[in-house]
Amino acid sequence: MQPTSLAFQSKAAAALADPNLQTALGGIKTGWQRGRILAAERLPEFEQLRDQARDIKNHALANLDFYLEAFEARVLDAGGQVHWARDAAEARRIVQEICESADAKTVTKSKSMIAEEIGLNDHLEAAGITPVETDLGEYIIQLRKEPPSHLVGPAVHLTKDQVADLFEQTHGLPRTDDPTELVGQARTVLRQKYLQADVGITGANFLIAETGSAITVTNEGNAELTQGLPKVHVVIASLEKVIPSMEDAFTLLRVLARSATGQEFSAYTTVMTGPKRPGDLDGPEQFHVVLLDNGRTGMIGSKFQDMLRCIRCGACMNNCPVYLAAGGHAYGWVYVGPMGSVLTPQFVGIESAHTLPNASTFCGRCEEVCPVRIPLPNLMRHWREEQFKRQLMPSTVRQGLGAWGYLARRPALYRLATRLAMGVLGRLGKKRGRFARLPLAEGWTVSRDLPAPEGRTFMQQWRQRQRSRP
Amino acid sequence: MSDNERRRAAILGRLRDVYRRSPEDEAAAIATVEQRVFHPAPNLIPARGQLDLEGRIELFTTMARNVQAEVERLPRLADVPAATSAFLRRHNLPQKLVVAPDPVLQGAGFASQPLLRLRFGDADQHDGAGLTLAFAGIAETGTLMLCSAAERPTLLAFLPENSLIVLPSARVFGAYEQAWQELRREQGRPPRSVNFITGPSRTGDIAQRLELGAHGPRRLAILLVDDLQAG
């Protein structure tokens, strides 16, 4: 997918004026955001579990080579195959080859962000293989030819009426806007696809070195039908998904659903180990795991290593004021919200995505809610520095930052300048208490008033109070 | 060297270049990794599920009902056929059922329900209701743990719109770790598929409204059986 992240500003402006999108996004605060708070309150150990979840991922990231080797050995023991892919193109080719060797016409897919990252669907289609997304949200956006707008709810940007319109066009049935009937329609259509499919492709939330297992987490049960019905199952996962043991998986699972949707546990957590065993009445005959690097080994030991702890829960976006206003598509690539603002520059290059680390108020909510405590604002700050270093911002911004930097490093001068500015602004704005328009501040005043300063700076007030102390 | 081996060596090589461990560090890292892979120890287990058996059964029941599962406690295995039939009647479903060919379920005495048409085997797309046996229950979140085997095919709990699952009361553990430890003790390596199931299938993908029965079962009935002996 070609990134369009540089158009963040104009897309965000359009998003703010889109009533359907604003309605759809409004539900996140009362739904997932509130759900997370309640779920955390119900589990007294939640904060300690977050610390442990962070430590497990840190430990795995410090020993990835050994854990990957252990994982591979167990997969082979269980009769599966492991394929290593250095980049997106290799991963696409490997999946295509597996599909071709199975003579696949149709492949079903359960939600995989890695498949989105490598643009797998377009590639398979070009090779004459029809990929069918089975997660209801992914199915909806596949029909609309859109990228996901959220990690957990890929179609969260749509209202019920928009889905009703889409299904009317696609399914050729009389229009209904009853959610139960809409879900029923998708269930019926996709049920046939499951049965037709030659290959099932799933992602993985975790890979377990101890057992060579892949773990999927869903609410719909689509991963189980995707991997359970076709002859061939392909798991596509990035390297950093590997963790030591099932015990570690349970700790991470305890914080995953609670952080994502506020559920105590997702409806289905499935641990898959190898192909079907002798005597088994169902299950795939082949079990493949594609391990994708795609730049991740380069993040190990870098300023961005912490990002590899991410377990894709979506809490950072559910709690981000920028995401909740602009929606996911404004971010212009596969990963959205605060985690996307850190990851997208990594994958597509800072020169194609430097708007994203700036699309943040640095309020810190994302870091506060992250189940594995990723310092997201800090990581965005690293990208901003990188952007400044590479001169990727307009010269006016650079000069402005330069001027501010000059002042900020000279406290006496800084105080004098702010004293003068606050004094003038205070007098000018005394009557109304705010400015509807202000030269050089149109960026602010075009959409809201600027409160007028009181007339004296903090430092002036501080000194005065110190003096008047008894 | 195959292509795959070359790509593997490149990726692992890149990682080792980054880690640049001294021989001592490497030995220490290997020891830690082996410890964590071969002798995994539980991390923090929440206090919530650490109760006596009756307490665990009660918590399991509450948590499972909170996620729209039906839970019924039965004294004996021989009560399962009648409870199954009653479930189908209650939901206006045909008296038709596919049952896991597990010796325990085969010994449940389905002959006591002559109106119930049943077949032992795996589910297909025409089956409306499936019955299988859980390995364990987890009180913490009202979760079932199902282990695949020749006599317990996995699709039984996913393809039919109605899923009935027998759970021996004595197998309700407090935490996932305790159930998994029991699996390790009994089987060593995990079976092909271990399914943790918490309520019926659901989706919030249309305007974040909870809808049941997205792909998997619309209804989940858990039959908690105290005495698993046949007859």
Side-chain angles (χ1 to χ4, degrees):
Chain A
M1 176 182 169
Q2 278 300 317
T4 56
S5 306
L6 293 182
F8 183 88
Q9 231 174 344
S10 61
K11 286 191 184 184
L16 286 170
D18 178 346
N20 277 333
L21 179 65
Q22 292 303 318
T23 305
L25 291 172
I28 294 179
K29 278 193 188 177
T30 47
W32 294 331
Q33 198 185 97
R34 197 175 139 69
R36 181 198 168 273
I37 294 171
L38 297 177
E41 279 173 0
R42 286 192 299 264
L43 189 68
E45 296 92 346
F46 189 68
E47 293 303 313
Q48 274 171 282
L49 287 167
R50 286 175 66 190
D51 289 339
Q52 294 195 345
R54 173 200 58 205
D55 296 346
I56 290 165
K57 290 297 270 186
N58 278 346
H59 170 75
L61 291 172
N63 298 281
L64 260 193
D65 49 348
F66 295 134
Y67 284 117
L68 287 168
E69 283 177 325
F71 171 76
E72 181 188 41
R74 302 299 175 290
V75 174
L76 298 178
D77 273 356
Q81 295 176 54
V82 176
H83 310 264
W84 301 73
R86 281 168 296 192
D87 55 29
E90 284 181 358
R92 288 191 296 258
R93 205 185 62 228
I94 291 164
V95 176
Q96 184 192 339
E97 282 170 7
I98 297 170
C99 291
E100 282 170 352
S101 74
D103 255 332
K105 307 278 177 296
T106 308
V107 308
T108 40
K109 285 180 63 208
S110 86
K111 204 164 135 12
S112 157
M113 290 309 294
I114 297 303
E116 299 280 352
E117 179 184 316
I118 65 172
L120 184 62
N121 283 359
D122 288 346
H123 181 82
L124 290 178
E125 270 175 53
I129 300 162
T130 310
V132 181
E133 294 290 351
T134 61
D135 172 84
L136 181 57
E138 287 280 340
Y139 173 69
I140 290 168
I141 61 165
Q142 189 185 24
L143 291 176
R144 287 175 58 101
K145 302 193 187 333
E146 280 178 335
S149 72
H150 190 281
L151 273 180
V152 175
V156 74
H157 57 288
L158 299 172
T159 62
K160 187 182 60 170
D161 284 335
Q162 288 173 297
V163 178
D165 291 343
L166 176 73
F167 279 13
E168 185 188 9
Q169 289 162 24
T170 321
H171 294 158
L173 294 165
R175 188 179 195 280
T176 173
D177 62 2
D178 175 44
T180 308
E181 286 182 37
L182 292 169
V183 172
Q185 283 186 12
R187 179 185 172 106
T188 308
V189 170
L190 289 169
R191 193 45 79 91
Q192 289 315 306
K193 303 290 183 191
Y194 287 123
L195 297 165
Q196 284 164 17
D198 309 289
V199 175
I201 300 174
T202 70
N205 291 76
F206 307 104
L207 303 173
I208 310 298
E210 175 203 350
T211 55
S213 312
I215 297 184
T216 56
V217 179
T218 79
N219 274 315
E220 300 183 359
N222 58 313
E224 288 68 22
L225 295 178
T226 298
Q227 54 94 353
L229 284 161
K231 293 190 301 285
V232 178
H233 176 204
V234 182
V235 178
I236 171 158
S238 47
L239 304 178
E240 84 283 9
K241 291 279 180 275
V242 72
I243 52 172
S245 67
M246 279 305 298
E247 273 76 359
D248 295 321
F250 291 129
T251 300
L252 287 155
L253 285 164
R254 280 196 183 93
V255 296
L256 174 60
R258 289 183 172 95
S259 300
T261 57
Q263 287 172 281
E264 293 283 323
F265 216 52
S266 300
Y268 300 112
T269 298
T270 289
V271 185
M272 300 159 291
T273 314
K276 79 197 266 188
R277 309 278 167 87
D280 276 359
L281 298 178
D282 54 29
E285 285 156 26
Q286 293 177 31
F287 177 77
H288 299 268
V289 182
V290 181
L291 290 174
L292 175 71
D293 180 347
N294 211 20
R296 286 167 175 82
T297 47
M299 290 167 75
I300 303 270
S302 83
K303 287 185 285 203
F304 296 102
Q305 174 170 324
D306 287 340
M307 194 59 221
L308 293 175
R309 288 203 299 269
C310 178
I311 55 173
R312 308 290 191 260
C313 71
C316 60
M317 52 199 76
N318 293 344
N319 287 277
C320 173
V322 176
Y323 175 90
L324 290 176
H329 287 160
Y331 291 79
W333 202 60
V334 172
Y335 298 108
V336 304
M339 60 82 73
S341 296
V342 177
L343 272 185
T344 304
Q346 180 74 39
F347 288 119
V348 307
I350 182 69
E351 59 289 339
S352 303
H354 55 76
T355 41
L356 299 186
N358 290 287
S360 167
T361 61
F362 276 10
C363 70
R365 284 287 288 142
C366 48
E367 180 173 356
E368 226 170 88
V369 298
C370 175
V372 286
R373 304 195 190 280
I374 299 171
L376 288 153
N378 236 338
L379 300 184
M380 283 186 254
R381 191 174 293 115
H382 289 324
W383 278 126
R384 289 189 189 184
E385 283 163 11
E386 195 66 21
Q387 176 197 12
F388 188 82
K389 254 192 272 170
R390 298 203 205 173
Q391 310 204 356
L392 289 170
M393 40 182 67
S395 58
T396 47
V397 176
R398 289 182 62 78
Q399 283 158 10
L401 279 175
W404 186 83
Y406 181 86
L407 278 176
R409 274 171 298 190
R410 289 163 180 80
L413 199 57
Y414 186 86
R415 278 173 210 161
L416 176 67
T418 47
R419 209 159 59 225
L420 285 173
M422 291 312 112
V424 171
L425 287 176
R427 264 198 303 284
L428 284 176
K430 200 163 193 169
K431 219 155 102 195
R432 296 188 60 216
R434 58 198 155 85
F435 296 99
R437 281 221 317 269
L438 197 65
L440 295 176
E442 287 94 348
W444 177 284
T445 55
V446 73
S447 52
R448 55 222 184 281
D449 288 352
L450 181 76
E454 302 271 320
R456 284 173 310 139
T457 66
F458 172 79
M459 293 300 284
Q460 282 175 290
Q461 295 188 42
W462 178 259
R463 250 193 314 260
Q464 197 169 35
R465 278 177 208 199
Q466 292 294 94
R467 267 201 301 272
S468 60
R469 263 184 160 177
Chain B
M1 218 192 232
S2 74
D3 254 12
N4 194 41
E5 284 165 327
R6 251 193 302 279
R7 294 192 302 262
R8 176 186 191 275
I11 290 171
L12 293 176
R14 261 186 242 169
L15 285 172
R16 278 166 189 149
D17 285 349
V18 181
Y19 295 139
R20 252 182 274 163
R21 301 183 187 95
S22 67
E24 301 81 60
D25 286 351
E26 172 143 336
I30 290 172
T32 312
V33 167
E34 285 184 347
Q35 180 66 29
R36 291 189 67 151
V37 169
F38 294 118
H39 310 284
N43 304 304
L44 174 68
I45 292 182
R48 183 196 281 178
Q50 303 311 301
L51 306 163
D52 64 11
L53 181 62
E54 276 310 313
R56 298 199 296 272
I57 291 172
E58 197 179 317
L59 177 62
F60 174 87
T61 306
T62 306
M63 296 308 284
R65 283 183 180 149
N66 282 350
V67 286
Q68 293 83 29
E70 298 178 24
V71 185
E72 197 176 343
R73 190 154 177 194
L74 306 171
R76 293 172 312 127
L77 181 65
D79 299 322
V80 166
T84 305
S85 180
F87 168 88
L88 296 171
R89 233 180 356 259
R90 193 161 66 237
H91 295 292
N92 276 325
L93 298 164
Q95 292 284 316
K96 212 174 151 233
L97 186 70
V98 53
V99 183
D102 187 283
V104 170
L105 297 179
Q106 283 178 330
F110 279 95
S112 70
Q113 300 294 316
L115 293 181
L116 193 58
R117 276 176 294 150
L118 87 168
R119 172 169 63 84
F120 287 98
D122 200 356
D124 64 35
Q125 74 264 41
H126 307 295
D127 287 309
L131 174 74
T132 189
L133 180 69
F135 176 83
I138 291 109
E140 191 178 339
T141 47
T143 300
L144 292 162
M145 177 177 171
L146 273 61
C147 290
S148 72
E151 62 277 13
R152 283 187 306 277
T154 55
L155 290 174
L156 268 173
F158 290 95
L159 268 180
E161 272 196 51
N162 300 278
S163 174
L164 296 105
I165 296 178
V166 170
L167 169 63
S169 307
R171 306 279 292 212
V172 177
F173 294 89
Y176 320 106
E177 287 86 343
Q178 291 153 345
W180 194 268
Q181 188 52 36
E182 182 59 23
L183 175 67
R184 269 199 202 109
R185 202 181 62 76
E186 289 180 23
Q187 301 191 15
R189 295 275 187 83
R192 181 194 78 80
S193 181
V194 180
N195 299 108
F196 290 93
I197 299 179
T198 313
S201 160
R202 63 201 55 221
T203 183
D205 275 345
I206 296 180
Q208 294 183 58
R209 244 190 68 148
L210 175 70
E211 288 292 329
L212 298 182
H215 288 289
R218 206 179 294 275
R219 295 189 195 87
L220 172 67
I222 302 169
L223 308 175
L224 261 166
V225 178
D226 289 342
D227 180 0
L228 218 57
Q229 294 302 309

